């Protein structure tokens, strides 16, 4: 019991109300107020029988104190948990023995902090140190972090991306076989995970158009705008028939198998089976030929033109390569995207900055949906962490903006994913714009500096811990400082993320200099940039077949993409003169 009397008390309990208490700080304590630093955010321990109640100071005031009284100040505290002293000190959340009036109050010692934050198993990751005592390591329970989802919140420039890199690298160390899929909106994480990550972009992605469900393919064809009802009715009718025709072709190649009538195939517009665009267009054209009304024929003609326009746009090559050849490549696509088998690269970084803006929402929707469905139909035997950067773009609180199927896919992972081994990590700088239902499913929150009042209010409503008053620190947190709440941490904690090695820093942290090159830029430089610019929207291969017009798949699957966001320095200037791969 000597642990209970290691330091002299500097205050006493003067009132208790639920999980809150008021303490009076002695005027004649051996330490001055400045020495004991009894200020907001500090942990204290209240001696209650054979245990020590751990609390955090949320307010300190010397108002309304009697002159010459025994107290120099009063403090409000939130009760968080308690340390029980037996054969070995042990910390637990919640309070079983409440303090009484007159119980002694002491500043928490380093040993007590280590007891609170001591890893209770091997499944812990080291993310930094406590802001109150840098000698104490802040551990996060990785099982609680993953299985109950987590979110990283913070304004631009506070170290949010660096924190995400740190968390994911530590998770990879602890769970080397866990598959991770990261949506990289700004193409800044490509170098953070070395050889453990496969970087995917439009130049090495094959995501066949037939994997898109009806809502998603409509979003692609209509460039994010609402579809024309008459054209949607036609698509809903002919897509299942095109799938049946493809199945008929496949079965016709097998001796002894009966040909299947496309109309009785049982496929829907959402069934993920292959079909060919040439069959789809033929079906639409066939129906158009049977019409005598010119105005009705225009609707079919517009739909065919819409499909052909998207099909021939080189920016959509990742979807429409071999669109008229067919082939059931769903197993290969899922294996490649979600690293099954991992082959030493359990992580996928999907760089979204190179995709056409009109199709990004649809692509994210397909990826989220396939990740969940694969977990569902595999009974969760191969867990996956799905990390969504800039999550408010895909699951907006305002239902009138964004793409509904994407929000639905993210929401489905948030609500049901843990049952099937699909875990969610959300990263956003505007939590107020994120669907509150989805955020509420994240049981561990890492809150960095947030200046917006609406963001702070939403965060306050999402935190269920008794120490919600700690959120008053959010506007004044320093860079790399974090308030961690929830199941993954022992207590609501103000901590500082540890330093990240230079090779693991996101690209945005290795800031491009605002100073122009000393050598200047001539017309050759401008011409080289324009060549790359125009090349991004041009066919570089001459079609061999005027009907099929398929581009040969000559790209390597690991080819990195030359990103404009990486900056233009003298070492890369020579690359600009070469055609893009």
């Amino acid at each position: 019991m000597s642990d209970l009397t290691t330091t002299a008390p500097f205050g006493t309990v003067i009132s208790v109300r639920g999980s809150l208490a008021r303490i009076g700080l002695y005027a004649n304590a051996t330490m001055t107020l400045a020495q004991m630093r009894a200020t907001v955010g500090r942990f204290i321990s209240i001696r209650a029988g054979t245990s020590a109640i751990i609390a955090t100071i949320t307010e300190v005031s010397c108002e309304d104190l009697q002159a010459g009284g025994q107290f120099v100040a009063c403090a409000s505290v939130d009760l968080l948990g308690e340390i029980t002293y037996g054969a070995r000190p042990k910390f637990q959340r919640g309070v079983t023995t409440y303090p009484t009036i007159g119980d002694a109050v002491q500043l928490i010692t380093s040993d007590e902090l280590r007891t609170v934050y001591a890893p209770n198993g091997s499944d812990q990751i080291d993310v930094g140190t406590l802001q109150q005592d840098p000698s104490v390591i802040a551990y996060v329970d990785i099982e609680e972090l993953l299985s109950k989802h987590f979110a990283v919140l913070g304004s631009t420039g506070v170290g949010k991306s660096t924190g995400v890199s740190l968390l994911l690298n530590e998770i990879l160390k602890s769970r080397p076989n866990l598959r991770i899929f990261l949506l990289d909106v700004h193409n800044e994480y490509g170098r953070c995970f070395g050889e453990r990550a496969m970087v995917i972009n439009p130049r090495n992605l094959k995501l066949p158009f037939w994997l898109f469900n009806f809502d998603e393919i409509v979003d692609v064809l209509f460039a994010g705008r609402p579809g024309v009802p008459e054209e949607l009715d036609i698509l809903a009718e002919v897509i299942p028939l095109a799938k049946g025709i493809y199945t008929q072709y496949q079965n016709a190649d097998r001796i002894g198998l009966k040909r299947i009538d496309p109309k009785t195939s049982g496929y829907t517009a959402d069934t993920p089976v292959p079909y060919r665009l040439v069959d789809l267009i033929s079906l639409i054209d066939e129906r158009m030929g049977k019409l005598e009304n010119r105005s009705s024929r225009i609707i079919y003609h517009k739909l065919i033109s819409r499909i052909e326009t998207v099909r021939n746009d080189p920016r959509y090559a990742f979807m429409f390569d071999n669109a008229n050849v067919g082939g059931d490549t769903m197993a290969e696509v899922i294996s490649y995207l979600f690293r099954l088998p991992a082959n030493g690269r359990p992580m996928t970084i999907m760089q979204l900055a190179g995709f056409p803006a009109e199709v990004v929402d649809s692509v994210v929707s397909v990826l989220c949906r396939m990740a969940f469905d694969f977990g569902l139909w595999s009974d969760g035997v191969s867990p996956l962490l799905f990390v969504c950067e800039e999550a408010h773009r895909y699951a907006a609180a305002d239902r009138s903006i964004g793409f509904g199927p994407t929000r639905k896919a993210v929401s489905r992972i948030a609500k049901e994913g843990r049952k099937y081994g699909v875990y969610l990590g959300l990263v956003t700088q505007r939590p107020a714009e994120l669907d509150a239902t989805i955020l509420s499913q994240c049981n561990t929150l890492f809150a960095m500096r947030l200046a917006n009042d609406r963001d702070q209010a939403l965060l306050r409503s999402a935190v269920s811990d008794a120490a919600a008053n700690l959120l008053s620190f959010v506007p004044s947190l320093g860079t790399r400082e974090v308030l961690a709440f929830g199941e993954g941490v022992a207590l609501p904690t103000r901590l500082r993320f540890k330093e990240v090695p230079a090779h693991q820093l996101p690209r945005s942290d290795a800031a491009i200099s605002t100073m122009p090159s000393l050598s200047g830029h001539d017309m050759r430089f401008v011409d080289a940039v324009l060549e790359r610019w125009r090349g991004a929207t041009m066919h570089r291969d001459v079609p061999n077949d005027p009907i099929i017009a398929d581009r040969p798949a000559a790209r390597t699957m690991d080819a990195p993409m030359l990103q404009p966001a990486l900056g233009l320095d003298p070492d890369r200037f020579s690359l600009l003169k070469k055609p893009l791969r």
Side-chain angles (χ1 to χ4, degrees), residues 294-327:
R294 186 173 181 274
S295 61
S296 298
R297 291 168 61 93
I298 291 176
I299 296 174
Y300 286 79
H301 182 72
K302 283 183 177 179
L303 180 56
I304 292 176
S305 299
R306 200 182 303 278
I307 296 172
E308 290 286 4
T309 299
V310 176
R311 161 68 183 92
N312 294 323
D313 190 333
R315 299 178 302 158
Y316 293 82
F318 69 94
M319 289 177 58
F320 294 106
D321 265 359
N322 302 320
N324 293 325
V325 176

Side-chain angles (χ1 to χ4, degrees), residues 306-363:
R306 200 182 303 278
I307 296 172
E308 290 286 4
T309 299
V310 176
R311 161 68 183 92
N312 294 323
D313 190 333
R315 299 178 302 158
Y316 293 82
F318 69 94
M319 289 177 58
F320 294 106
D321 265 359
N322 302 320
N324 293 325
V325 176
D328 189 352
T329 57
M330 187 171 181
E332 290 84 350
V333 169
I334 288 178
S335 173
Y336 179 62
L337 285 175
F338 301 127
R339 313 308 304 148
L340 291 162
N343 295 326
R345 291 184 172 186
M347 183 172 184
T348 303
I349 301 174
M350 174 61 76
Q351 294 187 332
L352 296 175
F355 287 90
E358 302 87 355
V359 79
V360 168
D361 284 344
S362 302
V363 170

Side-chain angles (χ1 to χ4, degrees), residues 221-280:
L221 295 178
F222 289 86
R225 297 185 297 272
V228 178
E230 293 84 357
E231 296 183 33
L232 297 186
D233 291 340
I234 299 169
L235 278 176
E237 179 185 354
V238 298
I239 287 178
L241 294 178
K243 294 177 179 179
I245 290 173
Y246 180 79
T247 304
Q248 185 183 51
Y249 289 152
Q250 294 298 100
N251 288 338
D253 295 337
R254 304 178 191 176
I255 299 175
L257 289 180
K258 185 179 178 181
R259 293 171 67 92
I260 299 175
D261 185 352
K263 296 181 180 179
T264 62
S265 64
Y267 295 137
T268 70
D270 292 336
T271 307
V273 295
Y275 63 97
R276 304 188 310 165
L277 276 188
V278 65
D279 294 330
L280 186 71

Side-chain angles (χ1 to χ4, degrees), residues 360-524:
V360 168
D361 284 344
S362 302
V363 170
V364 172
S365 179
V366 174
L367 297 172
C368 291
R369 183 171 51 78
M370 289 202 305
F372 179 86
D373 285 343
F374 189 83
L376 170 65
W377 297 111
S378 66
D379 294 326
V381 296
S382 185
L384 169 72
L385 170 61
F386 197 97
V387 183
C388 189
E389 258 273 14
E390 301 289 359
H392 60 277
R393 293 175 54 172
Y394 310 112
D398 186 350
R399 297 298 177 107
S400 65
I401 62 176
F403 185 45
T406 310
R407 180 191 297 105
K408 181 179 177 181
V410 176
S411 177
R412 201 175 178 201
I413 294 177
K415 293 177 181 177
E416 306 174 52
R418 67 192 74 182
K419 303 174 187 175
Y420 308 111
V422 184
Y423 311 127
L424 184 63
L426 299 178
V427 185
T428 179
Q429 58 182 314
R430 289 306 313 274
E433 295 181 5
L434 179 65
D435 191 318
T437 304
I438 295 176
L439 183 60
S440 68
Q441 300 293 324
C442 298
N443 285 8
T444 304
L445 299 178
F446 297 94
M448 307 183 81
R449 186 166 68 244
L450 288 167
N452 187 278
D453 290 339
R454 288 181 57 226
D455 294 332
Q456 295 172 37
L458 182 85
L459 184 58
R460 201 167 286 111
S461 66
V463 172
S464 59
D465 285 291
N469 288 322
L470 282 176
L471 291 175
S472 58
F473 292 129
V474 165
S476 59
L477 290 173
T479 302
R480 295 199 355 256
E481 279 195 353
V482 189
L483 286 177
F485 299 88
E487 302 293 334
V489 290
L491 280 180
T493 308
R494 183 174 178 177
L495 59 92
R496 179 182 289 273
F497 279 146
K498 63 183 180 182
E499 290 279 357
V500 174
H503 65 278
Q504 292 179 2
L505 284 175
R507 181 70 192 187
S508 60
D509 287 5
I512 298 173
S513 174
T514 58
M515 293 295 293
S517 170
L518 294 178
S519 59
H521 300 308
D522 54 17
M523 286 301 296
R524 289 171 53 248

Side-chain angles (χ1 to χ4, degrees), residues 104-155:
V105 177
Q106 297 175 355
L107 282 179
I108 195 168
T109 65
S110 293
D111 289 340
E112 287 172 328
L113 279 176
R114 289 189 178 89
T115 299
V116 171
Y117 290 97
N120 52 16
S122 59
D123 223 11
Q124 308 276 329
I125 56 175
D126 167 14
V127 298
T129 58
L130 298 190
Q131 188 269 348
Q132 176 170 324
D133 188 343
S135 68
V136 179
I137 296 175
Y139 289 98
V140 173
D141 187 313
I142 193 171
E143 181 64 31
E144 295 289 342
L145 180 76
L146 295 176
S147 65
K148 296 180 181 178
H149 308 322
F150 69 92
V152 181
L153 317 172
S155 302

